Amino acid sequence: MSDLTTVARPYAKAAFDFAVEQGALQEWQDMLAFAAQVADDATMQTFLKGAVSRDKATQLFLSVCGEQLNEKGQNFIKVLAANQRLNALPAILEKFSELRADHDNEVSVDVTSASELSTEQQAKLSTALEKRLARKVKLNCSVNPDLMGGLYIQAGDTVIDGTLKSQLSKLAHSLQS
């Protein structure tokens, strides 16, 4: 996947810069999301990996995408197809989303807790994280009963492990030392 990430970066940057210039970030996000789903489809992957011409692959891909792509989106797909990069669309979408979040001064935060967080708890946590990270926060909450209690928070490279399981592990380690 790291190879596709490297390949995806310049395409995502080009699409992002164009979308910003045109004031069409959401439209491009939607087009890339749809095209990435098409590219991620097992049948489409088999077809693209098969011995078909680039023109056939481009025509099929564009016909499947149909009205979901505007003229500029279709041109983007044609460039990807010409360079045999349609398989990189999911990674392009991921990089585009990262660029957009950075542009919007937004960060996606994964929060894992031992039990479901209430709406009030989520609001308080979001406010505290916005202060700490100095960005708008989008919470992605999940539950893992193995944590016993507390929260495990990850925002990009920043990790805050406030779980009871982690604290007990640290205590056990310090007692053994």
Side-chain angles (χ1 to χ4, degrees), residues 104-135:
D104 294 342
N105 200 25
E106 199 173 77
V107 66
S108 183
V109 179
D110 296 320
V111 178
T112 307
S113 59
S115 60
E116 192 76 30
L117 295 176
S118 70
T119 307
E120 183 181 329
Q121 289 171 321
Q122 288 182 27
K124 285 181 180 178
L125 180 61
S126 182
T127 302
L129 288 171
E130 284 177 1
K131 286 180 185 174
R132 178 167 181 165
L133 300 173
R135 303 182 107 189

Side-chain angles (χ1 to χ4, degrees), residues 110-117 140-144 147 151-152:
D110 296 320
V111 178
T112 307
S113 59
S115 60
E116 192 76 30
L117 295 176
N140 302 317
C141 297
S142 61
V143 175
N144 181 354
L147 298 180
L151 300 173
Y152 181 85

Side-chain angles (χ1 to χ4, degrees), residues 33-55:
F34 187 82
Q37 284 183 324
V38 171
D40 219 15
D41 180 71
T43 306
M44 182 60 76
Q45 287 179 358
T46 302
F47 182 79
L48 293 174
K49 288 178 185 173
V52 296
S53 70
R54 289 182 193 169
D55 290 337

Side-chain angles (χ1 to χ4, degrees), residues 22-99:
Q22 299 298 311
L25 280 172
Q26 187 59 49
E27 181 181 16
W28 272 86
Q29 180 93 34
D30 295 343
M31 287 190 301
L32 288 173
F34 187 82
Q37 284 183 324
V38 171
D40 219 15
D41 180 71
T43 306
M44 182 60 76
Q45 287 179 358
T46 302
F47 182 79
L48 293 174
K49 288 178 185 173
V52 296
S53 70
R54 289 182 193 169
D55 290 337
K56 268 190 172 179
T58 305
Q59 288 172 358
L60 175 69
F61 201 92
L62 290 174
S63 68
V64 171
C65 290
E67 298 295 318
Q68 299 293 324
L69 302 177
N70 65 19
E71 182 183 345
K72 303 297 183 188
Q74 290 175 8
N75 288 342
F76 186 71
I77 295 300
K78 289 174 185 175
V79 168
L80 291 174
N83 293 308
Q84 297 180 323
R85 300 296 192 212
L86 289 173
N87 63 332
L89 269 163
I92 292 170
L93 171 63
E94 184 179 327
K95 288 292 169 196
F96 184 94
S97 297
E98 289 173 9
L99 289 168

